[in-house]
Amino acid sequence: MDGCGLYAGVVTHTRLKPRRHALRYRIFMLLLDLDRLDAADRSLKLFSLRRFNLAGFDPRRHGDGSDTPLKAQVEARLSEAGLAHGGPIRMLAMPRILGMGFNPLTVYFCHQPDGALSAILYEVNNTFGERHSYLIPVEHAGPVVKQACDKGFYVSPFMDMDLRYAFRVRPPAGIGDEAVQVLVDVDDAEGRVLATGFVARRRDLTDSNLLHAWLTHPWMTAGVVAAIHWEALFIWLKGGKIRQRPAKPAWPVTVVTPAKLAA
């Protein structure tokens, strides 16, 4: 299906201080063209939109949580930020599996009408039911997009707020079996604190590939949530200090301007 795909790969987290701690687990994500959600629902037996199935997707669990079409929500943010839009918007996210799902990070690739990548929206969910996004323009197109912004949203109880994110993203091209990567490094004033990443290769989004992905990742969704809490226990046992959770930002999206990119 044009503009869509299935990406099976590996997530890694390496915490570097105050004590080193690392984890690695296998997941798969779907690349969904927001203009083709209904087409995917009609053409696939094992994928459903807003309904229970082996794999599912509910737009209301993203963005502002309303029934407003997700593409319209993202385009409104792009327009407010003065960023070019009007082309495809494709999102990389974990599907709901048998009705269950949690997406720590969803990545939206926002294109201009001519197909050029205009911006990337990083939508972050924490385990407290809160959501916040970072909208960053693409300054220099290339095989790997490098971006950065200051942290503005509480995610882990073991991480300070005064941190900076550095993203290195290889956007999906939509053809062949190309790789995709989303690497996120987290730094404080003294250097690297955490290095995370998702690296995967594309398969066609078909019923047979969905079934194969589920059979090889049967507890993926529950496993992600369990892994977050299990690893938090290990970090705590290693002496990690819990930071108090601040109020979430009053605004749903942090827009990174060129001046902030250079900071």
Side-chain angles (χ1 to χ4, degrees), residues 201-240:
R201 298 198 72 84
R202 181 184 183 277
R203 303 171 185 169
D204 291 338
L205 182 53
T206 64
D207 285 320
S208 60
N209 282 341
L210 275 172
L211 180 60
H212 180 268
W214 177 68
L215 290 173
T216 53
H217 306 78
W219 302 109
M220 182 187 75
T221 300
V224 171
V225 177
I228 290 172
H229 290 91
W230 185 251
E231 295 304 322
L233 174 61
F234 275 97
I235 293 171
W236 180 74
L237 291 174
K238 288 184 176 183

Coordinates of all heavy atoms in Angstrom, one line a residue, residues 201-240:
R201 N 13.8 -2.3 9.5 CA 13.7 -2.3 8.0 C 12.2 -2.5 7.6 O 11.4 -3.1 8.3 CB 14.5 -3.5 7.4 CG 16.0 -3.3 7.7 CD 16.9 -4.1 6.8 NE 16.9 -3.6 5.4 CZ 17.7 -2.6 5.0 NH1 18.5 -2.0 5.8 NH2 17.6 -2.2 3.8
R202 N 11.9 -2.1 6.4 CA 10.5 -2.0 6.0 C 10.1 -3.4 5.4 O 10.8 -4.1 4.7 CB 10.3 -1.0 4.9 CG 8.9 -0.8 4.4 CD 8.9 0.2 3.2 NE 7.5 0.4 2.8 CZ 6.9 -0.4 1.9 NH1 7.5 -1.4 1.3 NH2 5.7 -0.1 1.5
R203 N 8.8 -3.7 5.6 CA 8.1 -4.8 4.9 C 6.8 -4.2 4.4 O 6.3 -3.2 5.0 CB 7.8 -6.0 5.9 CG 9.0 -6.6 6.5 CD 8.6 -7.6 7.6 NE 9.7 -8.1 8.3 CZ 9.6 -8.8 9.4 NH1 8.4 -9.2 9.9 NH2 10.7 -9.3 10.0
D204 N 6.2 -4.7 3.4 CA 4.9 -4.2 2.9 C 3.9 -4.4 4.0 O 3.9 -5.4 4.8 CB 4.5 -5.0 1.7 CG 5.3 -4.7 0.5 OD1 6.0 -3.6 0.5 OD2 5.4 -5.5 -0.5
L205 N 2.9 -3.5 4.1 CA 1.8 -3.6 5.1 C 0.7 -4.5 4.5 O -0.1 -4.1 3.7 CB 1.3 -2.2 5.4 CG 0.2 -2.2 6.5 CD1 0.6 -2.9 7.7 CD2 -0.2 -0.8 6.8
T206 N 0.8 -5.8 4.8 CA -0.1 -6.8 4.3 C -0.6 -7.6 5.5 O 0.0 -7.6 6.6 CB 0.5 -7.7 3.3 OG1 1.6 -8.5 3.9 CG2 1.1 -7.0 2.1
D207 N -1.7 -8.4 5.3 CA -2.2 -9.2 6.3 C -1.2 -10.3 6.7 O -1.0 -10.6 7.9 CB -3.5 -9.9 5.9 CG -4.7 -9.0 5.9 OD1 -4.8 -8.2 6.9 OD2 -5.5 -9.0 5.0
S208 N -0.5 -10.9 5.7 CA 0.5 -11.9 6.0 C 1.6 -11.4 6.8 O 2.1 -12.0 7.8 CB 1.0 -12.6 4.8 OG 1.6 -11.7 3.9
N209 N 2.1 -10.2 6.5 CA 3.2 -9.6 7.3 C 2.8 -9.1 8.7 O 3.5 -9.2 9.6 CB 3.8 -8.4 6.5 CG 4.7 -8.8 5.4 OD1 5.2 -10.0 5.3 ND2 4.9 -8.0 4.4
L210 N 1.5 -8.7 8.8 CA 1.0 -8.4 10.1 C 0.9 -9.6 11.0 O 1.3 -9.6 12.2 CB -0.4 -7.7 10.0 CG -0.5 -6.2 9.8 CD1 -1.9 -5.8 9.5 CD2 0.1 -5.4 11.0
L211 N 0.4 -10.7 10.4 CA 0.3 -11.9 11.2 C 1.7 -12.4 11.6 O 1.9 -12.8 12.7 CB -0.4 -13.0 10.4 CG -0.6 -14.4 11.0 CD1 -1.4 -14.2 12.3 CD2 -1.2 -15.4 10.1
H212 N 2.7 -12.4 10.7 CA 4.0 -12.8 11.0 C 4.7 -11.9 12.1 O 5.3 -12.4 13.0 CB 4.9 -12.8 9.7 CG 6.3 -13.2 9.9 ND1 7.3 -12.3 10.2 CD2 6.9 -14.4 9.9 CE1 8.5 -13.0 10.4 NE2 8.2 -14.3 10.2
A213 N 4.4 -10.6 12.0 CA 5.0 -9.7 13.0 C 4.4 -10.0 14.4 O 5.1 -10.0 15.4 CB 4.7 -8.3 12.6
W214 N 3.1 -10.3 14.4 CA 2.5 -10.6 15.7 C 3.0 -11.9 16.2 O 3.3 -12.1 17.4 CB 1.0 -10.7 15.6 CG 0.3 -11.1 16.8 CD1 0.2 -10.4 18.0 CD2 -0.4 -12.3 17.1 NE1 -0.4 -11.1 19.0 CE2 -0.8 -12.3 18.4 CE3 -0.7 -13.4 16.3 CZ2 -1.5 -13.3 19.0 CZ3 -1.4 -14.5 16.9 CH2 -1.8 -14.4 18.3
L215 N 3.1 -12.9 15.4 CA 3.6 -14.2 15.9 C 5.1 -14.2 16.4 O 5.4 -14.9 17.3 CB 3.5 -15.3 14.7 CG 2.1 -15.7 14.3 CD1 2.2 -16.6 13.1 CD2 1.4 -16.4 15.4
T216 N 5.8 -13.3 15.8 CA 7.2 -13.1 16.3 C 7.4 -12.0 17.4 O 8.5 -11.9 17.9 CB 8.1 -12.8 15.1 OG1 7.6 -11.6 14.4 CG2 8.2 -14.0 14.2
H217 N 6.3 -11.3 17.7 CA 6.3 -10.3 18.8 C 5.0 -10.4 19.5 O 4.3 -9.4 19.7 CB 6.5 -8.9 18.2 CG 7.6 -8.6 17.3 ND1 7.6 -9.0 16.0 CD2 8.8 -8.0 17.5 CE1 8.8 -8.7 15.4 NE2 9.5 -8.1 16.3
P218 N 4.6 -11.6 20.0 CA 3.3 -11.8 20.6 C 2.9 -10.9 21.8 O 1.7 -10.6 22.0 CB 3.3 -13.3 20.9 CG 4.7 -13.6 21.2 CD 5.5 -12.8 20.2
W219 N 3.9 -10.5 22.6 CA 3.6 -9.7 23.7 C 4.2 -8.3 23.6 O 4.5 -7.7 24.6 CB 4.1 -10.4 25.0 CG 3.6 -11.8 25.1 CD1 4.2 -13.0 25.0 CD2 2.2 -12.1 25.5 NE1 3.4 -14.0 25.2 CE2 2.2 -13.5 25.5 CE3 1.1 -11.4 25.7 CZ2 1.0 -14.2 25.7 CZ3 -0.1 -12.1 26.0 CH2 -0.1 -13.5 26.0
M220 N 4.3 -7.8 22.4 CA 5.0 -6.6 22.2 C 4.4 -5.4 23.0 O 5.1 -4.7 23.7 CB 5.0 -6.2 20.7 CG 5.7 -4.9 20.4 SD 5.5 -4.4 18.7 CE 3.9 -3.8 18.7
T221 N 3.1 -5.2 22.8 CA 2.5 -4.0 23.5 C 2.6 -4.1 25.0 O 3.0 -3.2 25.6 CB 1.0 -3.9 23.0 OG1 1.0 -3.7 21.6 CG2 0.4 -2.7 23.6
A222 N 2.1 -5.2 25.5 CA 2.2 -5.4 27.0 C 3.6 -5.3 27.4 O 4.0 -4.8 28.5 CB 1.5 -6.7 27.4
G223 N 4.5 -5.9 26.6 CA 5.9 -5.9 26.9 C 6.6 -4.5 27.0 O 7.4 -4.3 27.8
V224 N 6.1 -3.6 26.2 CA 6.7 -2.2 26.2 C 6.4 -1.6 27.6 O 7.2 -1.0 28.2 CB 6.2 -1.4 25.1 CG1 6.6 0.1 25.2 CG2 6.7 -1.9 23.7
V225 N 5.1 -1.7 28.0 CA 4.7 -1.1 29.2 C 5.4 -1.8 30.4 O 5.9 -1.2 31.3 CB 3.2 -1.2 29.4 CG1 2.8 -0.6 30.8 CG2 2.5 -0.4 28.3
A226 N 5.4 -3.1 30.3 CA 6.1 -3.9 31.4 C 7.6 -3.6 31.4 O 8.2 -3.4 32.5 CB 5.9 -5.4 31.1
A227 N 8.2 -3.4 30.3 CA 9.6 -3.1 30.2 C 9.9 -1.8 30.9 O 10.9 -1.6 31.6 CB 10.1 -3.2 28.8
I228 N 9.1 -0.8 30.6 CA 9.3 0.5 31.2 C 9.3 0.4 32.7 O 10.2 1.0 33.4 CB 8.2 1.5 30.7 CG1 8.4 1.8 29.3 CG2 8.2 2.8 31.6 CD1 7.3 2.6 28.6
H229 N 8.3 -0.3 33.3 CA 8.2 -0.4 34.8 C 9.3 -1.3 35.3 O 9.9 -1.1 36.4 CB 6.8 -0.8 35.2 CG 5.8 0.2 35.0 ND1 5.1 0.3 33.8 CD2 5.3 1.2 35.7 CE1 4.2 1.3 33.8 NE2 4.4 1.9 35.0
W230 N 9.6 -2.4 34.6 CA 10.6 -3.3 35.1 C 12.0 -2.7 35.1 O 12.7 -2.8 36.1 CB 10.6 -4.5 34.2 CG 11.5 -5.6 34.6 CD1 12.7 -6.0 34.0 CD2 11.4 -6.5 35.7 NE1 13.3 -7.1 34.6 CE2 12.5 -7.4 35.7 CE3 10.4 -6.7 36.7 CZ2 12.7 -8.4 36.7 CZ3 10.6 -7.6 37.7 CH2 11.7 -8.5 37.6
E231 N 12.3 -1.9 34.1 CA 13.6 -1.2 34.0 C 13.7 -0.1 35.0 O 14.7 0.2 35.6 CB 13.9 -0.7 32.6 CG 14.0 -1.8 31.6 CD 15.1 -2.8 31.9 OE1 16.2 -2.4 32.5 OE2 15.0 -4.0 31.6
A232 N 12.5 0.5 35.3 CA 12.5 1.6 36.3 C 12.8 1.0 37.7 O 13.5 1.6 38.5 CB 11.1 2.2 36.4
L233 N 12.4 -0.2 38.0 CA 12.7 -0.9 39.2 C 14.2 -1.1 39.3 O 14.8 -0.8 40.3 CB 12.0 -2.2 39.3 CG 12.3 -3.1 40.5 CD1 12.0 -2.4 41.8 CD2 11.6 -4.5 40.4
F234 N 14.8 -1.6 38.2 CA 16.3 -1.8 38.2 C 17.1 -0.5 38.4 O 18.0 -0.5 39.2 CB 16.7 -2.5 36.9 CG 16.6 -4.0 36.9 CD1 15.5 -4.6 36.4 CD2 17.6 -4.8 37.5 CE1 15.3 -5.9 36.4 CE2 17.4 -6.1 37.5 CZ 16.3 -6.7 36.9
I235 N 16.6 0.6 37.8 CA 17.3 1.9 38.0 C 17.2 2.3 39.4 O 18.1 2.8 40.0 CB 16.7 2.9 37.0 CG1 17.0 2.6 35.6 CG2 17.2 4.3 37.3 CD1 16.3 3.4 34.5
W236 N 16.0 2.1 40.0 CA 15.8 2.5 41.4 C 16.7 1.7 42.3 O 17.3 2.2 43.2 CB 14.3 2.3 41.8 CG 14.0 2.7 43.2 CD1 14.0 3.9 43.8 CD2 13.8 1.7 44.3 NE1 13.7 3.8 45.1 CE2 13.5 2.5 45.4 CE3 13.7 0.3 44.3 CZ2 13.2 1.9 46.7 CZ3 13.4 -0.3 45.6 CH2 13.2 0.5 46.7
L237 N 16.8 0.4 42.0 CA 17.7 -0.5 42.9 C 19.1 -0.1 42.7 O 19.9 -0.4 43.6 CB 17.4 -2.0 42.4 CG 16.1 -2.6 42.8 CD1 16.0 -4.0 42.2 CD2 15.9 -2.6 44.3
K238 N 19.5 0.5 41.6 CA 20.9 0.9 41.3 C 21.1 2.3 41.9 O 22.2 2.9 41.8 CB 21.2 1.0 39.9 CG 21.3 -0.4 39.2 CD 21.7 -0.3 37.8 CE 22.0 -1.7 37.2 NZ 22.4 -1.6 35.7
G239 N 20.1 2.9 42.6 CA 20.3 4.1 43.3 C 19.8 5.3 42.6 O 20.1 6.5 43.0
G240 N 19.0 5.1 41.6 CA 18.4 6.3 40.9 C 17.4 7.1 41.8 O 16.6 6.5 42.5

